[in-house]
């Protein structure tokens, strides 16, 4: 049984050119490989977000809900932590390119 399915997709001109450029540069052998790699990256990003929500956000929410008033961090500290988290993700994503 065939393990692939042929699809017909429509891309904006700039995205189609990006796909063609990846193949032309020799980085990928076919346009399908470019799309598959992009979808793998998207799946990995979604899984990382889901993991972060389960492991960090839910755990933090549970602590806040169970804890006494006044145990939460300031908005400034929360923003600093969020920015640090996003910076680390951006650095990792850049390194993967």
């Amino acid at each position: 049984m065939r393990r692939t399915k042929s699809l017909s997709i429509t891309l904006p001109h700039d995205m189609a050119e990006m796909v063609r450029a990846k193949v032309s540069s020799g980085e990928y052998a076919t346009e399908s490989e470019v799309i598959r790699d992009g979808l793998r990256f998207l799946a990995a990003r979604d899984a990382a977000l889901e993991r972060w929500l389960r492991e960090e956000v839910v755990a933090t929410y549970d602590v806040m809900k169970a804890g006494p008033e006044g145990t939460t961090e300031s908005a400034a500290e929360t923003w600093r932590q969020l920015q640090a988290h996003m910076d680390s993700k951006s650095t990792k994503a850049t390194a993967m390119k």
Side-chain angles (χ1 to χ4, degrees):
M1 182 160 202
R2 193 171 170 186
R3 293 190 47 161
T4 60
K5 179 169 177 74
S6 179
L7 297 175
S8 174
I9 63 169
T10 303
L11 297 172
H13 292 290
D14 59 331
M15 287 183 170
E17 183 52 40
M18 185 187 324
V19 171
R20 284 189 205 102
K22 293 286 187 182
V23 175
S24 295
S25 73
E27 190 175 347
Y28 293 89
T30 67
E31 293 169 342
S32 292
E33 285 182 10
V34 177
I35 301 301
R36 282 192 296 267
D37 201 33
L39 289 171
R40 281 190 288 272
F41 184 80
L42 181 61
R45 186 204 66 184
D46 289 351
L49 177 61
E50 186 66 30
R51 225 176 5 264
W52 175 72
L53 288 169
R54 274 194 324 272
E55 295 171 5
E56 295 183 36
V57 175
V58 171
T60 301
Y61 173 80
D62 290 343
V63 167
M64 286 179 55
K65 191 171 179 183
E69 293 293 323
T71 59
T72 59
E73 297 188 15
S74 69
E77 177 59 17
T78 301
W79 178 251
R80 186 197 65 72
Q81 290 178 10
L82 178 60
Q83 190 63 49
H85 177 76
M86 296 305 290
D87 289 347
S88 73
K89 295 297 181 187
S90 176
T91 301
K92 288 178 185 174
T94 301
M96 291 179 68
K97 289 182 181 180

